[in-house]
Amino acid sequence: MRYNSITLKIILCVTIFFFLTSITVLAIVDIRLRSISDAAQHSIYTERLNLITSRLESYQQRLEKTGRADLYKQDFQRLAISRVKDNYYQDKDIEVYPVILNLNGQILLAQDSTLTQNLLTASNNFNSENPDTDLSLYLKLANKEYWVISKYFPDWQWHIAYIVPLSIKYQNASVLHKTLLIILCSCTLFSLILLIFLLSRITKPIIHLTNIASNIADGNLQQEINVSTDDEVGRLAKAFDKMRLSIQHQLTILNTEVADRKKAENNLLVTLNSIGDAVISTDNSGKITHMNPVAQKLTGWSFIEAIGKPLLEVFNIISSVTKQQCPSPVDRVLRTGEIVSLANHVVLQAKDGNEYQIADSGAPIKNDAGEVLGVVLVFRDVTNQYKLEAQLRQSDKMQAIGQLAGGIAHDFNNMLGGIIGAADLLNNHLDNTQQARELQSIIINASDRAAELTTQLLAFARSKKISSTTISLHQVIQDSLSLLTRTIDKSTRLIPEFNAENDLVVGDPAQLQNIILNLGINASHAMPEGGILQLSTRNLYLEEEYCSSSSFEINAGNYIELRVSDTGCGISDENLSHIFEPFFTTKDEGKGTGLGLSAVYGSIIQHHGSITIESQENQGTTFYILLPLSPDTKPTPYTDAIPETIGEGTILVVDDESLMLKTAEAILTDAGFSVILASNGQEGLEQYKTHMESIDLIILDMVMPVMNGKECLKHILQLNPEARVILASGFSKREDLEIIHNHDLCSFIAKPYRSQKLLQTIAKILNNVES
């Protein structure tokens, strides 16, 4: 029997119960027996004392009859003591004898005078103030307890007492107590023997079931349960045997499934090791459980080294832009339970230091119940593919920008041509006041810078750097405000605040002026009923911490901040995040291209600066522009010269832009030429057929509706191979310009052109001289 068995626990519990019960019963019986014994002994000894007292009374009566009591009292007392002694002291089997004492404490009769004297000494009850009282008391002498009971005989002033040892007083109770104890112990022992017998009969099949259950837990399912009883234990045994057979059957099925699964896993392992992509699988804590050879090659880790390690320790992926470690895709898959892919510009850093641009996807590994057991990552090296795609994107972007630049250049240069031509002509019609000359100079300078911007846009489309000079930003702002004053509504107040002590920046004057004009015009559109447009500057020093947290590629150092604020209608939060996107506009259709702020953003980036915006609906908008200061101390000067040219003859001008037609007509007429105008190639061809004899020169735009300049020139040369032609265009394809090389009487002038440049080109063709 084991120490922790149920049988032993039951036996211990029953034994303890019987023991406590026996102690309680014995305690109660002992108290009760003592009470009964006390009453009985008191009655017995009281009766004995009364008997002795009655005999002494008879002696007293006889003494009184003599008439001489005083004379014979002592004789009668001695006689009485002698008679008491003869009656009570002769039987040797009696253990307790009466004792006679006088009030002085003198022992008149005692079997053991020493004991009696010691008890009298231990108690002063016989010498108390009431010595004539009966006594019943307990005394202890030499670790032995005694019971003393006495009766007072007043005639002779005697105490007649019995000194009873407690062992004698409670002798019968002790015998009964021992007998009861023996009976209880016998009953307890018999009950335990019977209990052990019954428990062994009951627990034997349970122990048998326990051993069989232990064998089943150890994998031995062949042992049968041999319990034939029909009680609860028997039914439990049958249930156990049924469970054993069921487990045996399920285990057989499970072993078959495990074998099939291992076979499938081996086939899957062979498949994974054979595919060309890298494969890494993890458990649901993100630790690696498998890697195929391709993954081992790309990561530089062997499977033995990598197994059990966290994914990011082996699959070390970083952003090629920020160089920071990317978050683990396993965490996203485990969190969402869905297939995820890596973001763009992700680089895998191998153990040997090699880096690979990779494409990646992660998927959850789920069981039949849909629980996520882990993650499988599939990735491949796309470094070369990424480089090719980047080159292709760059090429496509440059081509798209070139096409965009060509379209913008054509229309923009036509308008600039009209502005520049008209401004040049104003020179002959203006008075000599300084204000008029300054205004004309502002128009020409602004137009030239706009033309320069177009040239630089074309250069950018051809991936050429835009030249930059040291310029005064305050001067650019002043020039821009002069143009804005005559462009925007008069109800808009322009307030410049130049708080920057250093305003020299390295940049392109035309682009910077275009930035200010764009922002100013947009602000005026946001204030149709007028308002305040404020342009303020101040100097700042940008810390490295600020620059590193900025979304712009700016460096720590000294900057000038240009703040452009308006009190207009503001921009909604929905549109604010798209405000710098190309072709995004909130204006009505046909009233905006969506390129203005996109061009502003691009120009700021080219100037290595930053631009941010704050706006709330109905509370205005503020643009914050930061530009790095130039190390130079002086701006780079620039000047333009305008020579004069006079001529005669008839010139046919073919252009689809009415402004260019009017400008060219004014320039040529003012120079002394006769002018015939045509608004497209077809109309120009008809005019040439009509006035071919009188036309000395043709100025032909290359990009026009109905019939373009190339087709028109082809037909004109068929009519007159000696026709003199100047091809004018802001943007022409290489094959269009080859016409000049194939026809000696053709020349080319780029739009927008100054009047002097146009007249010099005409003189070169008509007079066949160098300009």
Side-chain angles (χ1 to χ4, degrees):
M1 184 184 301
R2 293 187 299 179
Y3 72 93
N4 60 346
S5 65
I6 296 177
T7 302
L8 181 59
K9 293 177 181 178
I10 294 175
I11 292 173
L12 289 175
C13 290
V14 172
T15 302
I16 293 172
F17 174 76
F18 268 100
F19 177 73
L20 295 176
T21 303
S22 299
I23 291 176
T24 304
V25 171
L26 287 175
I28 295 173
V29 169
D30 187 61
I31 293 172
R32 186 60 181 164
L33 284 176
R34 281 180 176 272
S35 177
I36 295 171
S37 180
D38 285 341
Q41 292 294 320
H42 191 277
S43 176
I44 291 171
Y45 284 102
T46 300
E47 184 179 354
R48 289 181 181 180
L49 290 173
N50 289 335
L51 179 60
I52 294 172
T53 303
S54 65
R55 288 180 180 178
L56 291 177
E57 288 177 351
S58 67
Y59 283 115
Q60 177 63 25
Q61 292 173 0
R62 288 170 59 187
L63 177 61
E64 290 176 353
K65 288 179 180 182
T66 63
R68 303 183 69 174
D70 295 333
L71 181 62
Y72 299 109
K73 184 177 181 179
Q74 291 183 352
D75 294 334
F76 272 86
Q77 289 178 346
R78 284 192 293 269
L79 177 63
I81 292 171
S82 177
R83 294 289 177 88
V84 171
K85 186 175 181 180
D86 292 338
N87 290 332
Y88 291 96
Y89 281 70
Q90 298 301 321
D91 193 351
K92 296 182 179 180
D93 295 333
I94 298 176
E95 298 181 12
V96 179
Y97 297 91
V99 175
I100 299 176
L101 308 170
N102 61 20
L103 289 179
N104 296 325
Q106 183 182 1
I107 301 173
L108 302 179
L109 177 65
Q111 184 184 24
D112 188 344
S113 300
T114 303
L115 172 64
T116 304
Q117 185 61 47
N118 292 335
L119 288 173
L120 290 175
T121 302
S123 174
N124 58 0
N125 288 284
F126 294 103
N127 298 320
S128 63
E129 295 179 357
N130 299 309
D132 56 348
T133 59
D134 296 336
L135 298 175
S136 178
L137 55 94
Y138 292 90
L139 298 174
K140 186 174 183 180
L141 184 64
N143 296 326
K144 188 173 181 179
E145 295 183 357
Y146 297 91
W147 175 52
V148 178
I149 183 170
S150 70
K151 188 171 180 64
Y152 181 68
F153 184 61
D155 294 334
W156 291 351
Q157 295 184 342
W158 284 2
H159 281 285
I160 299 91
Y162 275 94
I163 301 174
V164 184
L166 291 186
S167 59
I168 294 175
K169 181 181 180 182
Y170 295 120
Q171 184 177 8
N172 293 333
S174 299
V175 172
L176 184 60
H177 184 274
K178 292 178 180 178
T179 303
L180 181 61
L181 179 62
I182 293 172
I183 292 172
L184 287 174
C185 291
S186 300
C187 291
T188 302
L189 181 61
F190 177 76
S191 299
L192 288 176
I193 294 172
L194 181 62
L195 179 63
I196 293 172
F197 174 75
L198 292 176
L199 286 175
S200 64
R201 293 294 302 272
I202 295 172
T203 59
K204 183 177 180 181
I206 297 177
I207 294 172
H208 180 61
L209 286 176
T210 303
N211 294 332
I212 292 177
S214 179
N215 292 333
I216 291 174
D218 294 336
N220 183 9
L221 300 175
Q222 304 301 324
Q223 186 175 359
E224 296 184 1
I225 302 175
N226 297 318
V227 178
S228 58
T229 59
D230 293 330
D231 55 6
E232 290 84 354
V233 177
R235 292 195 294 271
L236 179 61
K238 291 178 182 179
F240 255 96
D241 197 48
K242 185 177 180 180
M243 181 184 68
R244 178 185 65 82
L245 295 175
S246 177
I247 293 175
Q248 189 175 16
H249 176 67
Q250 294 295 330
L251 188 59
T252 302
I253 297 175
L254 182 61
N255 289 334
T256 303
E257 291 180 354
V258 169
D260 294 340
R261 182 167 295 180
K262 285 185 176 179
K263 183 178 179 180
E265 288 178 354
N266 290 333
N267 293 335
L268 178 60
L269 186 61
V270 171
T271 302
L272 291 177
N273 291 339
S274 301
I275 65 176
D277 288 346
V279 179
I280 298 178
S281 61
T282 72
D283 57 19
N284 55 11
S285 65
K287 294 184 178 179
I288 294 175
T289 58
H290 179 73
M291 292 175 66
N292 73 344
V294 180
Q296 297 177 47
K297 179 180 178 181
L298 288 179
T299 60
W301 289 73
S302 67
F303 176 61
I304 300 300
E305 294 175 323
I307 187 171
K309 291 187 178 296
L311 176 68
L312 288 184
E313 186 175 341
V314 176
F315 187 64
N316 184 22
I317 51 176
I318 63 172
S319 170
S320 61
V321 178
T322 64
K323 302 302 180 183
Q324 300 295 319
Q325 188 177 49
C326 298
S328 172
V330 171
D331 296 338
R332 290 174 56 198
V333 175
L334 293 176
R335 185 174 62 254
T336 63
E338 299 176 352
I339 298 175
V340 301
S341 299
L342 284 179
N344 295 328
H345 310 294
V346 174
V347 173
L348 170 65
Q349 283 189 335
K351 186 179 181 182
D352 56 9
N354 290 329
E355 294 186 351
Y356 304 95
Q357 190 82 31
I358 62 170
D360 167 273
S361 65
I365 301 174
K366 298 182 179 180
N367 57 16
D368 294 338
E371 298 174 338
V372 178
L373 305 179
V375 177
V376 59
L377 294 176
V378 181
F379 58 96
R380 62 186 182 278
D381 179 14
V382 294
T383 304
N384 294 332
Q385 178 183 347
Y386 190 84
K387 290 180 180 179
L388 292 175
E389 289 178 352
Q391 293 174 359
L392 181 59
R393 285 195 300 270
Q394 180 68 14
S395 176
D396 290 343
K397 182 174 71 174
M398 291 301 101
Q399 183 179 0
I401 292 176
Q403 292 175 351
L404 177 63
I408 293 175
H410 174 263
D411 293 335
F412 192 48
N413 285 336
N414 282 338
M415 291 183 286
L416 284 178
I419 295 172
I420 292 173
D424 281 342
L425 290 175
L426 281 175
N427 189 49
N428 299 326
H429 301 281
L430 290 175
D431 54 23
N432 292 322
T433 61
Q434 183 179 357
Q435 183 179 8
R437 295 299 178 184
E438 287 178 354
L439 292 177
Q440 187 218 22
S441 177
I442 289 173
I443 296 173
I444 292 176
N445 289 337
S447 301
D448 285 343
R449 292 179 186 179
E452 184 179 355
L453 176 62
T454 308
T455 303
Q456 290 169 345
L457 182 61
L458 293 173
F460 175 74
R462 298 182 179 93
S463 301
K464 293 180 181 179
K465 289 186 177 181
I466 298 177
S467 60
S468 297
T469 58
T470 300
I471 57 175
S472 167
L473 183 62
H474 288 169
Q475 184 60 50
V476 173
I477 296 173
Q478 290 284 17
D479 294 342
S480 302
L481 290 178
S482 296
L483 291 174
L484 285 173
T485 303
R486 293 163 176 80
T487 303
I488 63 177
D489 194 279
K490 300 297 182 180
S491 60
T492 300
R493 290 176 55 200
L494 300 179
I495 302 177
E497 288 186 1
F498 298 145
N499 300 317
E501 295 181 2
N502 186 354
D503 69 328
L504 297 182
V505 297
V506 176
D508 182 271
Q511 284 200 24
L512 292 176
Q513 190 175 80
N514 191 56
I515 290 171
I516 299 170
L517 291 175
N518 254 309
L519 296 179
I521 293 172
N522 280 347
S524 69
H525 291 167
M527 301 182 292
E529 297 180 1
I532 298 174
L533 174 59
Q534 185 174 11
L535 292 87
S536 60
T537 63
R538 63 170 179 162
N539 289 128
L540 296 174
Y541 181 84
L542 300 185
E543 301 287 348
E544 182 63 37
E545 182 179 357
Y546 175 85
C547 296
S548 61
S549 63
S550 174
S551 60
F552 295 88
E553 294 185 6
I554 53 178
N555 300 317
N558 293 308
Y559 283 74
I560 183 172
E561 181 192 64
L562 170 60
R563 183 179 302 183
V564 182
S565 303
D566 66 61
T567 57
C569 60
I571 304 170
S572 67
D573 292 339
E574 180 182 357
N575 293 330
L576 198 61
S577 59
H578 303 284
I579 202 66
F580 293 118
E581 293 180 4
F583 306 109
F584 177 82
T585 179
T586 58
K587 298 177 182 179
D588 295 336
E589 185 175 356
K591 294 186 178 180
T593 63
L595 291 174
L597 289 180
S598 177
V600 168
Y601 184 90
S603 297
I604 295 297
I605 298 300
Q606 287 184 340
H607 284 80
H608 308 290
S610 69
I611 179 170
T612 55
I613 181 174
E614 290 182 358
S615 183
Q616 292 185 6
E617 289 188 273
N618 301 320
Q619 295 187 20
T621 301
T622 300
F623 287 88
Y624 300 90
I625 299 173
L626 290 174
L627 296 173
L629 292 176
S630 170
D632 297 335
T633 59
K634 293 181 179 180
T636 303
Y638 59 92
T639 57
D640 289 315
I642 309 176
E644 297 182 357
T645 302
I646 304 296
E648 59 180 11
T650 300
I651 299 176
L652 172 62
V653 181
V654 184
D655 202 308
D656 64 321
E657 181 62 45
S658 60
L659 181 60
M660 282 300 300
L661 288 176
K662 293 179 181 179
T663 302
E665 181 181 21
I667 293 173
L668 297 176
T669 302
D670 194 57
F673 293 103
S674 299
V675 181
I676 300 174
L677 303 178
S679 60
N680 57 62
Q682 182 65 45
E683 184 180 342
L685 181 59
E686 296 297 330
Q687 291 284 6
Y688 185 75
K689 290 178 180 179
T690 304
H691 307 285
M692 183 170 49
E693 296 298 331
S694 62
I695 293 176
D696 299 296
L697 178 67
I698 304 169
I699 300 175
L700 181 62
D701 187 19
M702 293 301 294
V703 181
M704 294 181 293
V706 184
M707 178 185 292
N708 60 33
K710 183 179 179 181
E711 291 295 324
C712 182
L713 176 61
K714 179 181 177 181
H715 291 294
I716 288 174
L717 293 179
Q718 289 176 353
L719 295 174
N720 181 15
E722 300 299 321
R724 294 178 174 86
V725 180
I726 296 177
L727 300 178
S729 179
F731 175 74
S732 296
K733 299 179 181 179
R734 184 184 301 267
E735 56 269 23
D736 294 338
L737 300 181
E738 290 179 355
I739 300 174
I740 301 173
H741 301 288
N742 298 329
H743 187 60
D744 295 335
L745 299 179
C746 283
S747 185
F748 177 80
I749 186 170
K751 291 182 177 180
Y753 43 75
R754 298 286 299 274
S755 58
Q756 182 63 30
K757 180 65 176 177
L758 177 61
L759 295 177
Q760 288 176 347
T761 304
I762 292 173
K764 177 183 176 181
I765 295 296
L766 292 180
N767 303 323
N768 198 17
V769 298
E770 296 292 336
S771 60

